[in-house]
Structures are given as C-alpha cells and as structure tokens.
Amino acid sequence: MSFRTSAIDYVEDVSPGSGALPPRAWYASSDATSLSLNGSWRFRLSPTADARDDSFAAEGYDAGDWAEVTVPGHWVLQGHGSPIYTNHLYPFPVDPPHVPTENPTGDHLRFFDLPDEWPSDGGAVLRFDGVESCARVWLNGTDIGEFKGSRLPHEFAVGHLLKPAGNVLAVRVHQWSAGSYLEDQDQWWLPGIFRDVTLLHRPAGSALDFFVHASYDHVTGEGTLRVDSDVDGRVSVPALDIDVATGESVTVAVEAWTAETPRLYDGVLAVEGERVPLRIGFRTVELADGLIKVNGKPILFKGVNRHEWHPERGRALDLETMRADVLLMKRHNINAVRTSHYPPHPAFLDLCDEYGLWVIDECDLETHGFTEQGWRDNPVDDDRWTPALLDRAARMVERDKNHPSVVIWSLGNEAGTGRGLTAMAEWIHGRDASRLVHYEGDIDCRDTDMYSRMYAFHAEVESIGLGLDGGTHKRRELPFIHCEYGHAMGNGPGGLADYQRLFEAHDRLQGGFVWEWIDHGIKHPELGYAYGGDFGEELHDGNFVCDGLLFPDREPSPGLLEYKKVIEPVRIEGGSNGTVRVTNKHDFADLSALAFEWAYQVDGETVEAGTLSVPALAAGESVDVKLPEPPDSAGHAETLWTVRALLATDTAWAPKGHVVGWGQFPVAARPAVSVARTEQPLLAERQITLGPAVFDARTGAPTSIGGVQVSGPRLDVWRATTDNDDGADWQSDTRYGALWRQLGLHRMHHRLDAVELDDDALTVRTRVAPAAREVGLSTVYRWTSDGDRLRLTVSVTPEGTWTLPLPRLGVRLGLPGPADRVRWYGGGPGEAYPDTKSASLLGRWESSVDGLQTPYVRPQENGARADVRWVEIGGLRIEGEPEFWFSARRWTNEQLDVAAHLTDLTAGDTVWVNLDHGQQGIGSQSCGPGPLPQYFLRAVPTEFSFVFSRTD
C-alpha cells in the first residue's frame, strides 16, 4: 500500500501546469479597472510539499497566528529560511523530474475586497508576473490551477469566483519542482512571489491578445503599421493621422526607432470594451549581407548582461530601481541588454523602449547542471519536456512582442543542445519573422540566426572576424555576437579595450555583452554584503555571484567607468599640426546633440579652456578640427590637451554637461626629475644621516625623511590576489594566484647583504626570495641627496629561472596613521591597472586614504592610481622616474589578502603606501582569458627611482 498523496504530483510533473489562460501581450494599463494585490500577505512555511493539507485555502480559515511577508518578495530574504547560491550545480540530487522531500513550501494568503468602483459586469483575470518555482492557486476555496515558469506571467480567469468583499486568495509556492531543472541560472535560488500580483477587470469585448507590427523602410523613410488583434477594433495614432481597423496596414512617413533615437508614437487600440494605450516604434530587423541590420544599417552591440537584483529585495524590483538601471546604462554609453537568463519584469522593457536600448530577450531556460553527467537526461533533448519548453518560449514572445527595443529572441542559456530547442526556434521563427533568434549553445547555428560565443579569447575573436574560424558553411556566413565576455568579477575586467578594437576592425564582429551588470551581494548586518557560503549552504560557488559592473548598492565600479570609456560613441584623438580628430562612432545618430570643450593643461592644471566648434558629423564620419594656439607661458613643464564631448542640452537620461566622451594628447613631455648628488652620508653610532633623512646604521633603512617617520621602503612583489588572479585560464588552466602562492611570493624573505657608504651615496644591497626556492631578486637601494630632496634608485636583477610573471614590482613603506589626505598628479580619479586604464584621466586629484579604496565585495588588490608623476601624503612629496602606480591603505597587502569581507579589515596605526614600477595586468580570468602577454609583468633587470621631499 502506498501512503504518498497524489495531491502534490503536479510538483514533479514535467508539464507547465494547468488552468492558466493562453499567453498574451502584456501592457501596463488600460481604461479597464485593475487592483494590485501587492503588499502584506499572511505566510506559513512548511518543510515539505505535503506537510500541510489544503484547508488553509478555504474561506473562513483562521491565519491569525501566521507570519507576514511582503509581496513581491522572497521569503528567504524576509527571515524564513536561507538563500542558496550555485553557479551551475543543482543544490539537490539530479534525478529529473524528481525533487527532494525536503522542499520548503510557503503558503500565502491575501484577503481583499473589491473597490467600490469595480464594475459589476464582465469577467476578471488574476495575473502573476513571477513566482519561483511552482505555485498552486485557490480563490475563495476553489482550486484554479498550478503553474511553473518562474520568470514568466500566468493568468487565470476568476470573474465567476469574485465577491464584493471577503475574497481569499491562497497561493502555495514550492521552492523545488520539475521546473527547477529548467531554471539552473547562475544566481541565488530565491523562492517566493517576487513579481506583481494583479486582478484585472475584463469588460465584455475587452482586448485579448494583439500584435503591433511596425516596420520601417530606410529607403523611403516610411513606416508600415498593422495591429493584429483577437478582438476587432480600431487603431489610432494622432501624431501620424492614423485611424484604421485592426488587421489593416497603413504606410506613412515616420521617424524610425533606434537605441540612439528612440522615437515612440503614442497610439490607442480601441475595442468594444477597452482602450489600450500603445507606444509604437517603427524599425526593421533583418539578417542581410551576413550582418544583423536595423533599418538597413549594421549595428554594434555595446551591451551588458543583466540579472534582476536588489541587495535587500533580491529579484523583486520596483519601477524606480529598474529606471535607475536604465539611466546608469545610458550614462555609461551602454546601448544593449541581454536579459540573462530570463525575461525581465515587463516594465523594464517599457523603459528600454522609452530611453533606447537594444534588447536580446532571453527565455527562462537553463539546464547547466546536466554538464556534470555529460548532458545525460538533459530535458531539452527529451520529448517529454518539449511542451514545457514551448510554453516558456510562447510566454516570453507573446508577452514581449510589442516592444520595439526587443530585436532578438534568445532560446535560453547553457542548456546544451537538443530537439526541444529546435522546436522552440521553429515556433519562434514561425510566430515572429520580424526578429532574429539567438542561442549560444548552438555551435553549428542549426537553429539560430547568428554565431554566438561566450568568453572567447582575443585571438579567437580576431580569427572569427577574419573568417578563419571554420565551422559549418551556415555558421561562416553569419554575424558573430560575443554574448558574454569581460567577466566583471572583482577588480577588472581587463582587456576590454583590446576586445573593442577587434569589434570595430571587423564587420562580422557585431559586439558583445559584458558579464554582468550588478553584483548579487545580499545586505548582511555583520558581513556587509553576503555571497555564496555565507548562509551555510551545502553546495555553493562563493563570491562568483559578485561579478558585476555595479556594486550591490548600484554604485559604479571602476570596471563600469572603464567600459564607458572604451565604448564611447565619439572618438577624440590627437591629430597633426595642432588639430584634433573627432569620429562619430554612433550607428545612426549625428553629433548635433553634443557640445565640445577643450582645456590646455600644464603639469596637470588647466590654464586655459574654451569651446570647440565641431560639425554635426553623420554616423561613421570623421573630421580634423583646429585647436587654438597653445600659450607660450608653459615653460619647462609637461603640457597636454584635453577635449571633451558633452550633452549640449538636457536629455531624458542625463543633464546638460554630462560627459559622453573625451580624449587627451600631449604637447610637451614631462621633464626628467633631477637631484644633484651634493650630500655625503654621515655615520654616527647608530644612525646615518643623508640630507633630510635619517637611516638605521645597521640595516641602512630610513627611519625618517624630512622629519616624517617612515617604515621601509623595501621591495614588494605581492598583491592581494584578485578574483581574476585566482581564476583559471580556460585554455591553459593557469591560475596565477595559486602559482604565485606555490612559489612563495606572498611570503618573501629579505636578506641584508651590505650597507655601503661613499662620498655621495648610501647603498644597501639585499636579496629578496621565497623560502625553499632557488629564484630570487637581487635588489640594490641607492640613496642620494641634494640637501633638501632624497632620491632612491632601486635596481632589481632576477636570479634563477623565473617562469611566472610578478604580481607587482615596487617598494612599500609605512607612514604614521594620521596621514590621510592624498594629492597626486597622474591618472585618476579612480583606480587603473595596465589593461584597465582607458578611463584614467591625467590630472591633479585629491582624496582621503579611505577614499582611495575600491569596496569589492570580496576584498582584493585595488585602488592603484596609474601614471603618477608625484604624490603628496603624510607630509611627504614623492616623485617618480619613470611614472609609477600609487596606492595607500590602512592595512597591509597581507591583511587584505586574507579578508573574506570588507568587515574583516580593521584600520591600523600605519598607512601602508605602495610605489609600484609595474603591476601585472588584470584580465578576466575569473571566467575567460587572463591578461594579454603585453600586460605581463616579467621578472627582468629593472631600475626605477623615487624622489622624496617635504610638502611644507
């Protein structure tokens, strides 16, 4: 005899559910009445799917002792259970379609009355915009159905069940279901009703489904509009003098919609019982001449992958948070979004229509965990699951088909290959021929309209651009999209500028999407922001969930500022004979929206500035513009031009004066730093004096310079490894962080060989080497002075065979704790490294020591300023020859290295300053390629100098 109830069989059923209405177009509002059911709901959590009976759904049930949760929301972020983060491993045994008996199940209750204005006639629809991962629904005690497809809408006809008052909506949500096998996206597993719940009145003759077809002919400048509707009616667009029946085509002159010029026309679909507002954008998407073209022109995606995230509310985003994302994207020159790896909240697409972003809309599908068993039993190649796959494709396409911003449908992500994906592609192509279809896993492009890859190395991307990548005949004729690249985990990503040069050099390369938009850190009272493993998960992937261009609080990271510079839509370069070359890198827009300014700088300070007249270049055009004559008063100094492109007027996404692009180019080079060797070192019993400095006579190390106490400087080669240092190069499996530790670079020994005095120098000879290894760095410190200034020349000679690059090469010194304000002339205002310094602007900058730190969720090397000429800190001025990297922090590199969260870092009584001759590049090896060879810091004979003096 079996005692297992069949009442929960739907949880493990591979079907998409039962009872839901067919999918249809989503629209934010109409003149029909609606009631939001968001807000406070009663909540009860059970450990298993069958721990409770269905009595809670009955009218009159007493839930007075239940907890309360906010909907939209996730119960695990509201004090009930804990979130789980995995990248691709399923956090339960892989035995499809079965899920664990331990299946957290949340019963939700919402009591509501109909508003007084609720019409007494017609029907009603109950809509859920997102529930993870499986829900069963009752209204007033009647079971109306169950559904799966967490990031997809589901509607139920409920008009016959409604009462004027005392309605009881009961929803049972299971964390795990058969649907979980299709939702193995790289994100937190967060059960709950996390998108809106809405009751919609459906008057007699109300709109059902409708499809707005709005194409554009770039030759004639005309748009053709046709609205197909399940219910006959009329379509009006007053600005275009259009008033036609549904199903009827009309062609008129229009302004086209593009991501750069997002022209929308307000219209109305009027049927017998309802008026639905329309926002219509005319544009045509096609695959032509082997390229993705919009309105007859190839486009270049400068995109990001965007998960939905809020550090306190998880994937329950409000409209203003979504708007903040779009505005940040526009202000950082991003023109495209891939909705990884599911359709977003539908309001986000409204914002993309309004502000202008190309969208790859991705289906709620990923089965990545099946890689662990060689894709055996993968649902996308199992006919039993195909109805669920087609249901997910249909719910995405039907919901989002009227958005002009959506130019490509994506079948999903990292789900292998199989018959189910082919069925999805065939259905989408048949339903909507006006857009293209994407799927990265289709390596032969059997079902897709483009060749898509993730994390391809620079050399491979170049070979694809040259058409040398091979593959099927069909693939070779298709455009290439780098759907994920530039993994933005921690410090990085490096190499973005090198990728962009390739994208712009080869027509076939139509850009890509950086992974990803925002760190998924969860706000935590003790840890700052929590990541995988901080909630005691059995399996987790650590801070791999913190890999965004934004920090969890939506502050831009240095990576986002770098990306903004790399993809700026106007290129400003130094020309010849006192000119500047300006190139319009837009795909469509001219430069009429921009104003240009120039500044002439002497040793980092602006001495003259003015406006620059630049014609309204068409997309792709360039012009050389004459600059003013530079002033004659610069003298013996470094001089350069800075030219900026700014918004000429306020726009919907940024105010007048917002900087869109800039360029810097030198006029006169920086003069050499000269210090005459006029002082002789003087030896006393325990100390040596040389100019403004006092040294320990035994070690030759300075104890004070210009009256400022110092510790060090001495050679430093270690940095707190970055996420990219610790990642594995996909081609060679090289992990630089692990190899550096294996070699012992994090625990170098310093041996004093000699302290030598002569007529004009103090020379200290040392050897710096790791324990148990033959390799070392012979290091000589040579001190000289002219009486007021002190020059240190460091000579480094490698000994033994060095096969690894160094993390860093420079000196570290300690200054007294009160040292705080920092001024410098060099790159800024933010951090930069050899392959992440496109956005580093040469000038004079100022900061506190704490302000120099970059708050990566997992602490790591950060905060270096590039191309520094001089820095002033703690009463000392330090000049470098050649230019150097500078960083300062209130903890050592070693303390930074072992910290797991920012809260692990405690300020000490010393400010530790790194003056680096070189840094190893960053790369994006946390997922993808390491630094390119030109950014390696090789152990070779090296010499560099610093000059110390008092600032007052």
Side-chain angles (χ1 to χ4, degrees):
M1 178 181 294
S2 174
F3 291 95
R4 185 172 185 183
T5 175
S6 62
I8 61 165
D9 286 351
Y10 66 90
V11 174
E12 295 184 338
D13 191 335
V14 299
S15 73
S18 64
L21 295 169
R24 65 186 180 116
W26 187 93
Y27 48 95
S29 63
S30 76
D31 64 351
T33 306
S34 66
L35 175 65
S36 172
L37 297 179
N38 295 347
S40 179
W41 290 49
R42 291 289 184 175
F43 176 78
R44 175 182 66 185
L45 183 64
S46 302
T48 65
D50 58 357
R52 307 278 186 170
D53 61 27
D54 301 344
S55 60
F56 82 104
E59 296 178 85
Y61 183 86
D62 183 5
D65 60 346
W66 285 25
E68 293 189 9
V69 294
T70 298
V71 171
H74 306 277
W75 70 68
V76 293
L77 297 183
Q78 300 184 60
H80 305 279
S82 298
I84 300 169
Y85 168 59
T86 59
N87 169 23
H88 72 278
L89 296 174
Y90 289 105
F92 48 79
V94 180
D95 183 23
H98 304 297
V99 295
T101 300
E102 295 78 14
N103 187 357
T105 295
D107 290 335
H108 299 68
L109 283 174
R110 178 71 157 87
F111 308 97
F112 66 94
D113 300 334
L114 295 180
D116 293 340
E117 64 272 17
W118 192 270
S120 59
D121 61 334
V125 165
L126 178 65
R127 183 175 69 208
F128 295 88
D129 281 316
V131 182
E132 182 176 329
S133 73
C134 172
R136 187 177 180 185
V137 186
W138 296 260
L139 182 61
N140 293 330
T142 299
D143 184 350
I144 60 175
E146 73 280 341
F147 62 90
K148 308 177 189 76
S150 298
R151 268 69 69 174
L152 297 163
H154 295 82
E155 294 183 329
F156 297 88
V158 296
H160 59 295
L161 300 174
L162 289 172
K163 303 183 300 183
N167 291 284
V168 180
L169 175 59
V171 185
R172 173 164 285 171
V173 180
H174 307 282
Q175 173 154 18
W176 310 122
S177 70
S180 302
Y181 284 100
L182 304 180
E183 296 171 4
D184 189 25
Q185 293 101 340
D186 176 9
Q187 59 181 338
W188 293 96
W189 299 87
L190 298 174
I193 305 171
F194 68 93
R195 287 185 185 160
D196 307 287
V197 182
T198 311
L199 185 67
L200 304 167
H201 178 239
R202 308 311 297 143
S206 60
L208 296 177
D209 190 25
F210 60 92
F211 196 161
V212 177
H213 303 274
S215 61
Y216 178 75
D217 187 328
H218 66 279
V219 176
T220 65
E222 293 177 321
T224 298
L225 175 66
R226 187 185 82 249
V227 178
D228 295 332
S229 174
D230 288 354
V231 177
D232 291 341
R234 297 195 69 80
V235 176
S236 60
V237 185
L240 297 175
D241 198 25
I242 290 176
D243 186 352
V244 296
T246 55
E248 182 179 333
S249 295
V250 59
T251 299
V252 295
V254 299
E255 298 175 42
W257 188 98
T258 75
E260 296 165 7
T261 55
R263 180 65 164 96
L264 293 172
Y265 291 90
D266 290 326
V268 173
L269 167 63
V271 295
E272 178 186 354
E274 187 175 16
R275 291 174 60 86
V276 180
L278 304 177
R279 302 206 76 190
I280 302 166
F282 290 88
R283 55 105 187 96
T284 295
V285 183
E286 61 181 337
L287 184 65
D289 305 317
L291 297 173
I292 299 167
K293 293 185 178 182
V294 176
N295 303 337
K297 286 189 174 184
I299 59 175
L300 185 64
F301 292 113
K302 303 170 183 177
V304 291
N305 286 274
R306 175 186 176 269
H307 269 295
E308 295 183 305
W309 187 252
H310 187 280
E312 296 173 87
R313 302 192 299 271
R315 287 189 288 279
L317 299 190
D318 59 16
L319 179 62
E320 289 314 305
T321 299
M322 291 184 270
R323 189 186 307 276
D325 278 348
V326 171
L327 293 178
L328 278 168
M329 291 175 190
K330 294 292 290 186
R331 290 169 185 169
H332 289 86
N333 296 329
I334 290 163
N335 73 0
V337 176
R338 176 177 173 231
T339 68
S340 54
H341 296 294
Y342 42 83
H345 189 291
F348 179 76
L349 298 179
D350 284 342
L351 295 168
C352 294
D353 294 342
E354 178 182 352
Y355 291 101
L357 289 167
W358 308 117
V359 174
I360 296 181
D361 198 357
E362 193 149 88
C363 195
D364 190 10
L365 173 62
E366 181 167 338
T367 64
H368 201 171
F370 283 90
T371 58
E372 297 300 306
Q373 54 205 61
W375 295 107
R376 187 177 68 255
D377 297 327
N378 184 7
V380 304
D381 200 29
D382 184 333
D383 291 337
R384 293 175 300 170
W385 293 81
T386 299
L389 302 183
L390 290 173
D391 179 76
R392 288 172 182 246
R395 291 188 181 279
M396 172 184 68
V397 170
E398 302 296 6
R399 191 196 77 168
D400 298 340
K401 60 182 177 286
N402 294 327
H403 289 282
S405 58
V406 176
V407 292
I408 295 172
W409 302 115
S410 179
L411 303 181
N413 185 68
E414 293 176 316
T417 57
R419 290 163 288 176
L421 288 165
T422 298
M424 292 171 69
E426 290 176 349
W427 184 90
I428 293 173
H429 277 120
R431 175 59 174 150
D432 181 17
S434 70
R435 294 177 174 93
L436 306 181
V437 172
H438 164 274
Y439 177 63
E440 181 269 341
D442 185 6
I443 197 71
D444 293 327
C445 303
R446 180 183 62 181
D447 302 321
T448 57
D449 298 310
M450 62 207 68
Y451 177 31
S452 177
R453 291 283 305 283
M454 55 177 67
Y455 308 110
F457 282 45
H458 295 79
E460 183 181 5
V461 171
E462 183 172 30
S463 72
I464 294 170
L466 293 169
L468 304 176
D469 55 303
T472 61
H473 177 75
K474 179 182 178 182
R475 191 180 91 181
R476 295 197 305 274
E477 293 185 333
L478 293 178
F480 174 77
I481 296 297
H482 212 176
C483 70
E484 292 180 24
Y485 81 108
H487 196 254
M489 186 176 177
N491 188 333
L496 292 179
D498 305 278
Y499 274 122
Q500 193 65 24
R501 281 190 286 270
L502 294 172
F503 295 157
E504 295 180 6
H506 304 285
D507 291 343
R508 187 188 183 194
L509 307 179
Q510 292 199 250
F513 298 78
V514 168
W515 185 268
E516 65 169 304
W517 177 235
I518 188 169
D519 287 343
H520 303 207
I522 294 176
K523 193 170 184 180
H524 191 283
E526 298 172 0
L527 303 176
Y529 290 107
Y531 49 76
D534 288 333
F535 297 96
E537 300 102 304
E538 176 186 7
L539 294 175
H540 66 85
D541 285 286
N543 68 311
F544 201 69
V545 76
C546 294
D547 49 9
L549 294 168
L550 294 182
F551 295 120
D553 61 0
R554 281 184 160 72
E555 281 296 311
S557 75
L560 181 56
L561 300 178
E562 175 79 359
Y563 195 38
K564 175 188 177 182
K565 173 61 179 170
V566 165
I567 60 175
E568 58 191 14
V570 55
R571 182 73 46 78
I572 301 171
E573 302 167 297
S576 57
N577 300 319
T579 64
V580 58
R581 168 154 286 205
V582 178
T583 303
N584 183 354
K585 304 298 291 185
H586 288 100
D587 291 324
F588 296 93
D590 64 24
L591 296 187
S592 59
L594 301 181
F596 290 80
E597 297 180 348
W598 61 266
Y600 186 77
Q601 291 162 301
V602 176
D603 282 342
E605 289 190 307
T606 297
V607 296
E608 286 193 22
T611 60
L612 192 67
S613 179
V614 176
L617 299 174
E621 289 186 347
S622 297
V623 66
D624 290 327
V625 180
K626 185 70 174 176
L627 289 164
E629 289 297 322
D632 296 328
S633 57
H636 194 55
E638 181 178 19
T639 57
L640 56 83
W641 294 102
T642 301
V643 177
R644 291 179 172 88
L646 311 96
L647 289 180
T649 60
D650 291 345
T651 70
W653 50 269
K656 176 183 177 180
H658 169 78
V659 177
V660 174
W662 57 268
Q664 274 191 329
F665 30 97
V667 179
R670 174 190 179 216
V673 182
S674 177
V675 178
R677 300 180 179 182
T678 60
E679 296 298 298
Q680 180 177 359
L682 301 175
L683 175 64
E685 181 178 352
R686 295 182 178 178
Q687 66 182 32
I688 300 168
T689 58
L690 176 60
V694 178
F695 298 79
D696 184 299
R698 183 181 61 85
T699 64
T703 57
S704 69
I705 299 175
V708 177
Q709 293 182 342
V710 298
S711 173
R714 69 175 187 174
L715 194 75
D716 191 12
V717 299
W718 182 248
R719 72 184 186 196
T721 54
T722 69
D723 292 315
N724 288 303
D725 291 337
D726 291 333
D729 181 304
W730 282 21
Q731 289 184 334
S732 63
D733 199 35
T734 301
R735 297 177 184 266
Y736 291 108
L739 292 173
W740 289 337
R741 293 182 198 278
Q742 184 179 350
L743 184 59
L745 298 187
H746 60 310
R747 47 175 174 78
M748 299 289 274
H749 294 258
H750 296 252
R751 186 184 74 206
L752 177 63
D753 289 338
V755 177
E756 303 169 351
L757 283 70
D758 55 31
D759 290 343
D760 63 359
L762 166 63
T763 302
V764 180
R765 303 185 185 277
T766 69
R767 187 175 190 270
V768 183
R773 305 291 178 183
E774 290 185 328
V775 297
L777 300 169
S778 174
T779 307
V780 178
Y781 308 94
R782 184 174 178 84
W783 299 91
T784 58
S785 177
D786 63 2
D788 295 321
R789 296 179 296 169
L790 184 72
R791 185 184 192 105
L792 166 63
T793 300
V794 182
S795 301
V796 180
T797 304
E799 297 178 348
T801 302
W802 285 84
T803 58
L804 287 176
L806 296 171
R808 71 176 347 129
L809 182 66
V811 296
R812 190 195 325 183
L813 67 151
L815 297 176
D820 182 59
R821 298 308 301 174
V822 184
R823 297 179 64 245
W824 75 97
Y825 171 32
E831 75 179 24
Y833 291 82
D835 54 351
T836 67
K837 66 175 194 171
S838 298
S840 183
L841 182 68
L842 192 62
R844 294 199 185 195
W845 309 101
E846 186 171 350
S847 173
S848 65
V849 168
D850 292 341
L852 293 174
Q853 314 310 307
T854 304
Y856 295 114
V857 175
R858 185 192 74 81
Q860 55 199 273
E861 165 65 31
N862 73 88
R865 269 58 180 180
D867 303 316
V868 175
R869 278 72 168 148
W870 56 257
V871 61
E872 294 178 348
I873 180 172
L876 288 180
R877 178 184 175 98
I878 307 167
E879 300 174 82
E881 192 173 43
E883 293 77 28
F884 59 100
W885 269 270
F886 161 79
S887 57
R889 52 182 63 99
R890 300 187 184 279
W891 36 79
T892 65
N893 295 333
E894 291 75 18
Q895 289 168 328
L896 183 63
D897 194 31
V898 298
H901 296 87
L902 291 171
T903 52
D904 296 333
L905 295 169
T906 303
D909 57 6
T910 300
V911 172
W912 294 100
V913 177
N914 273 95
L915 310 171
D916 292 320
H917 175 68
Q919 279 264 3
Q920 168 79 348
I922 297 295
S924 63
Q925 196 165 297
S926 53
C927 190
L932 289 169
Q934 60 264 36
Y935 305 120
F936 281 19
L937 180 60
R938 298 294 187 185
V940 296
T942 306
E943 185 171 281
F944 51 92
S945 296
F946 299 102
V947 175
F948 298 83
S949 59
R950 286 285 304 188
T951 57
D952 51 19

mmCIF file of all heavy atoms in Angstrom, residues 101-117:
data_model
loop_
_atom_site.group_PDB
_atom_site.id
_atom_site.type_symbol
_atom_site.label_atom_id
_atom_site.label_comp_id
_atom_site.label_asym_id
_atom_site.label_seq_id
_atom_site.Cartn_x
_atom_site.Cartn_y
_atom_site.Cartn_z
ATOM 1 N N THR A 101 12.336 15.465 -0.939
ATOM 2 C CA THR A 101 11.223 15.543 0.002
ATOM 3 C C THR A 101 11.335 16.822 0.826
ATOM 4 O O THR A 101 10.336 17.482 1.111
ATOM 5 C CB THR A 101 11.230 14.315 0.927
ATOM 6 O OG1 THR A 101 11.098 13.140 0.124
ATOM 7 C CG2 THR A 101 10.096 14.390 1.941
ATOM 8 N N GLU A 102 12.573 17.165 1.201
ATOM 9 C CA GLU A 102 12.797 18.431 1.906
ATOM 10 C C GLU A 102 12.630 19.569 0.902
ATOM 11 O O GLU A 102 13.583 19.974 0.240
ATOM 12 C CB GLU A 102 14.199 18.463 2.537
ATOM 13 C CG GLU A 102 14.415 17.433 3.625
ATOM 14 C CD GLU A 102 14.681 16.037 3.085
ATOM 15 O OE1 GLU A 102 14.955 15.920 1.862
ATOM 16 O OE2 GLU A 102 14.608 15.072 3.846
ATOM 17 N N ASN A 103 11.429 20.053 0.802
ATOM 18 C CA ASN A 103 11.071 21.020 -0.229
ATOM 19 C C ASN A 103 10.338 22.184 0.437
ATOM 20 O O ASN A 103 9.123 22.148 0.602
ATOM 21 C CB ASN A 103 10.182 20.356 -1.287
ATOM 22 C CG ASN A 103 9.911 21.252 -2.477
ATOM 23 O OD1 ASN A 103 10.323 22.400 -2.522
ATOM 24 N ND2 ASN A 103 9.190 20.716 -3.454
ATOM 25 N N PRO A 104 11.072 23.222 0.858
ATOM 26 C CA PRO A 104 10.416 24.338 1.552
ATOM 27 C C PRO A 104 9.213 24.846 0.768
ATOM 28 O O PRO A 104 9.304 25.147 -0.430
ATOM 29 C CB PRO A 104 11.530 25.380 1.632
ATOM 30 C CG PRO A 104 12.793 24.584 1.639
ATOM 31 C CD PRO A 104 12.521 23.420 0.718
ATOM 32 N N THR A 105 8.092 24.935 1.441
ATOM 33 C CA THR A 105 6.830 25.292 0.806
ATOM 34 C C THR A 105 6.177 26.412 1.594
ATOM 35 O O THR A 105 5.973 26.295 2.805
ATOM 36 C CB THR A 105 5.907 24.066 0.726
ATOM 37 O OG1 THR A 105 6.512 23.090 -0.138
ATOM 38 C CG2 THR A 105 4.538 24.441 0.194
ATOM 39 N N GLY A 106 5.883 27.499 0.884
ATOM 40 C CA GLY A 106 5.302 28.661 1.527
ATOM 41 C C GLY A 106 3.853 28.842 1.161
ATOM 42 O O GLY A 106 3.513 29.019 -0.022
ATOM 43 N N ASP A 107 2.990 28.788 2.158
ATOM 44 C CA ASP A 107 1.576 29.075 1.954
ATOM 45 C C ASP A 107 1.348 30.567 2.160
ATOM 46 O O ASP A 107 1.748 31.136 3.183
ATOM 47 C CB ASP A 107 0.717 28.276 2.939
ATOM 48 C CG ASP A 107 0.715 26.786 2.617
ATOM 49 O OD1 ASP A 107 0.942 26.442 1.439
ATOM 50 O OD2 ASP A 107 0.504 25.974 3.539
ATOM 51 N N HIS A 108 0.705 31.206 1.174
ATOM 52 C CA HIS A 108 0.455 32.637 1.191
ATOM 53 C C HIS A 108 -1.039 32.896 1.172
ATOM 54 O O HIS A 108 -1.782 32.244 0.419
ATOM 55 C CB HIS A 108 1.065 33.322 -0.037
ATOM 56 C CG HIS A 108 2.559 33.188 -0.176
ATOM 57 N ND1 HIS A 108 3.192 31.990 -0.454
ATOM 58 C CD2 HIS A 108 3.548 34.132 -0.078
ATOM 59 C CE1 HIS A 108 4.500 32.199 -0.533
ATOM 60 N NE2 HIS A 108 4.747 33.473 -0.313
ATOM 61 N N LEU A 109 -1.482 33.851 1.960
ATOM 62 C CA LEU A 109 -2.886 34.233 1.987
ATOM 63 C C LEU A 109 -3.015 35.739 1.835
ATOM 64 O O LEU A 109 -2.306 36.512 2.495
ATOM 65 C CB LEU A 109 -3.546 33.809 3.300
ATOM 66 C CG LEU A 109 -3.916 32.326 3.457
ATOM 67 C CD1 LEU A 109 -4.415 32.059 4.865
ATOM 68 C CD2 LEU A 109 -4.997 31.941 2.444
ATOM 69 N N ARG A 110 -3.960 36.142 0.972
ATOM 70 C CA ARG A 110 -4.243 37.566 0.774
ATOM 71 C C ARG A 110 -5.752 37.737 0.814
ATOM 72 O O ARG A 110 -6.487 37.097 0.047
ATOM 73 C CB ARG A 110 -3.701 38.028 -0.576
ATOM 74 C CG ARG A 110 -3.978 39.492 -0.913
ATOM 75 C CD ARG A 110 -3.150 40.429 -0.046
ATOM 76 N NE ARG A 110 -2.974 41.733 -0.662
ATOM 77 C CZ ARG A 110 -3.818 42.748 -0.546
ATOM 78 N NH1 ARG A 110 -4.925 42.619 0.167
ATOM 79 N NH2 ARG A 110 -3.556 43.906 -1.135
ATOM 80 N N PHE A 111 -6.207 38.559 1.756
ATOM 81 C CA PHE A 111 -7.627 38.842 1.896
ATOM 82 C C PHE A 111 -7.883 40.210 1.279
ATOM 83 O O PHE A 111 -7.170 41.177 1.567
ATOM 84 C CB PHE A 111 -8.025 38.837 3.368
ATOM 85 C CG PHE A 111 -7.607 37.592 4.094
ATOM 86 C CD1 PHE A 111 -6.435 37.566 4.847
ATOM 87 C CD2 PHE A 111 -8.356 36.427 4.014
ATOM 88 C CE1 PHE A 111 -6.041 36.420 5.510
ATOM 89 C CE2 PHE A 111 -7.963 35.276 4.676
ATOM 90 C CZ PHE A 111 -6.794 35.262 5.430
ATOM 91 N N PHE A 112 -8.920 40.306 0.446
ATOM 92 C CA PHE A 112 -9.166 41.590 -0.207
ATOM 93 C C PHE A 112 -10.636 41.772 -0.530
ATOM 94 O O PHE A 112 -11.380 40.816 -0.723
ATOM 95 C CB PHE A 112 -8.330 41.715 -1.489
ATOM 96 C CG PHE A 112 -8.696 40.761 -2.590
ATOM 97 C CD1 PHE A 112 -9.588 41.136 -3.592
ATOM 98 C CD2 PHE A 112 -8.150 39.475 -2.644
ATOM 99 C CE1 PHE A 112 -9.929 40.263 -4.610
ATOM 100 C CE2 PHE A 112 -8.477 38.599 -3.663
ATOM 101 C CZ PHE A 112 -9.365 38.985 -4.654
ATOM 102 N N ASP A 113 -11.004 43.048 -0.562
ATOM 103 C CA ASP A 113 -12.328 43.453 -1.026
ATOM 104 C C ASP A 113 -12.175 44.114 -2.387
ATOM 105 O O ASP A 113 -11.146 44.739 -2.671
ATOM 106 C CB ASP A 113 -12.959 44.458 -0.053
ATOM 107 C CG ASP A 113 -13.131 43.891 1.339
ATOM 108 O OD1 ASP A 113 -13.247 42.653 1.465
ATOM 109 O OD2 ASP A 113 -13.115 44.701 2.299
ATOM 110 N N LEU A 114 -13.189 44.010 -3.186
ATOM 111 C CA LEU A 114 -13.183 44.736 -4.450
ATOM 112 C C LEU A 114 -13.444 46.217 -4.182
ATOM 113 O O LEU A 114 -14.246 46.555 -3.300
ATOM 114 C CB LEU A 114 -14.252 44.188 -5.392
ATOM 115 C CG LEU A 114 -14.051 42.744 -5.876
ATOM 116 C CD1 LEU A 114 -15.203 42.343 -6.795
ATOM 117 C CD2 LEU A 114 -12.718 42.598 -6.594
ATOM 118 N N PRO A 115 -12.750 47.097 -4.880
ATOM 119 C CA PRO A 115 -13.009 48.530 -4.680
ATOM 120 C C PRO A 115 -14.433 48.885 -5.114
ATOM 121 O O PRO A 115 -15.066 48.179 -5.910
ATOM 122 C CB PRO A 115 -11.965 49.208 -5.562
ATOM 123 C CG PRO A 115 -11.570 48.192 -6.565
ATOM 124 C CD PRO A 115 -11.710 46.858 -5.908
ATOM 125 N N ASP A 116 -14.934 50.004 -4.571
ATOM 126 C CA ASP A 116 -16.302 50.422 -4.874
ATOM 127 C C ASP A 116 -16.525 50.614 -6.365
ATOM 128 O O ASP A 116 -17.629 50.386 -6.871
ATOM 129 C CB ASP A 116 -16.618 51.720 -4.127
ATOM 130 C CG ASP A 116 -16.674 51.515 -2.621
ATOM 131 O OD1 ASP A 116 -16.842 50.359 -2.194
ATOM 132 O OD2 ASP A 116 -16.515 52.504 -1.881
ATOM 133 N N GLU A 117 -15.459 51.048 -7.062
ATOM 134 C CA GLU A 117 -15.618 51.328 -8.492
ATOM 135 C C GLU A 117 -15.483 50.078 -9.357
ATOM 136 O O GLU A 117 -15.545 50.172 -10.592
ATOM 137 C CB GLU A 117 -14.591 52.376 -8.940
ATOM 138 C CG GLU A 117 -13.132 51.944 -8.844
ATOM 139 C CD GLU A 117 -12.490 52.216 -7.491
ATOM 140 O OE1 GLU A 117 -13.242 52.441 -6.505
ATOM 141 O OE2 GLU A 117 -11.246 52.204 -7.418
#
